[in-house]
Amino acid sequence: MLAIRLMQLFSENKEDFTKLAGILGLYFQIRDDYLNLCSQEYAENKSYCEDLTEGKFSFPIMHAILTRDLELKRYCITLLERFGSFAYTRNILQELDTDAREEIAKLGGNPLLEDILDQLLNWKGAGDVVKTPLGCDQGEKPETKVRGQDTVQEPL
């Protein structure tokens, strides 16, 4: 927006281009997110699904994550388990717990902080992946909103 205003300093045109610039910026970003995941040409010129490699929460990825579709969520959990993401997370949590306890000891110890760390260890009992979210019956259908001709899963 600053660039537009700077150009207008040297122009007769004083129209407000803020909304158009915002729309075009959003359009180009979402287009780039889409092509990053779906375009063969994009993959050949950059790299295959670079946004996934870089851990970016692009537009299509955010749409999938924000779904209320229980089957899709279960599938995602299955993939996380299959690819070792839960095991990796548990290892990192254990390392951080150990590091925090060592640092507390170096600083002279603190029983209250150690108690807090003990309480935070509840993740160790969560080894069994929850297949059905709490409060949801197996037969419950997620709510959907219809936009245009496509059915879109959206959080409510």
Side-chain angles (χ1 to χ4, degrees), residues 93-150:
L93 286 169
Q94 185 60 59
E95 288 176 18
L96 291 170
D97 180 77
T98 301
D99 291 348
R101 290 175 192 277
E102 289 173 0
E103 197 61 29
I104 291 169
K106 285 181 191 175
L107 295 170
N110 185 316
L112 294 176
L113 279 178
E114 291 168 8
D115 285 345
I116 290 171
L117 287 174
D118 289 342
Q119 291 176 26
L120 292 175
L121 287 175
N122 65 345
W123 60 266
K124 285 189 171 190
D128 295 330
V129 176
V130 176
K131 298 295 182 192
T132 304
L134 299 175
C136 293
D137 295 329
Q138 289 281 354
E140 182 178 333
K141 297 293 183 199
E143 295 184 36
T144 59
K145 295 181 180 178
V146 177
R147 182 181 299 151
Q149 295 180 355
D150 299 324

Side-chain angles (χ1 to χ4, degrees), residues 39-110:
S39 169
Q40 180 67 32
E41 181 182 348
Y42 195 98
E44 290 169 1
N45 291 329
K46 282 191 150 193
S47 68
Y48 181 69
C49 295
E50 187 176 67
D51 286 354
L52 290 176
T53 304
E54 294 175 357
K56 291 182 180 175
F57 288 97
S58 67
F59 190 79
I61 293 167
M62 288 304 302
H63 177 263
I65 290 172
L66 295 175
T67 185
R68 296 190 74 178
D69 183 331
L70 297 181
E71 289 305 313
L72 179 58
K73 289 180 181 183
R74 287 184 188 109
Y75 179 67
C76 289
I77 294 299
T78 302
L79 290 178
L80 291 170
E81 184 66 42
R82 185 183 315 157
F83 293 123
S85 298
F86 288 134
Y88 175 77
T89 300
R90 287 188 297 271
N91 288 336
I92 295 297
L93 286 169
Q94 185 60 59
E95 288 176 18
L96 291 170
D97 180 77
T98 301
D99 291 348
R101 290 175 192 277
E102 289 173 0
E103 197 61 29
I104 291 169
K106 285 181 191 175
L107 295 170
N110 185 316

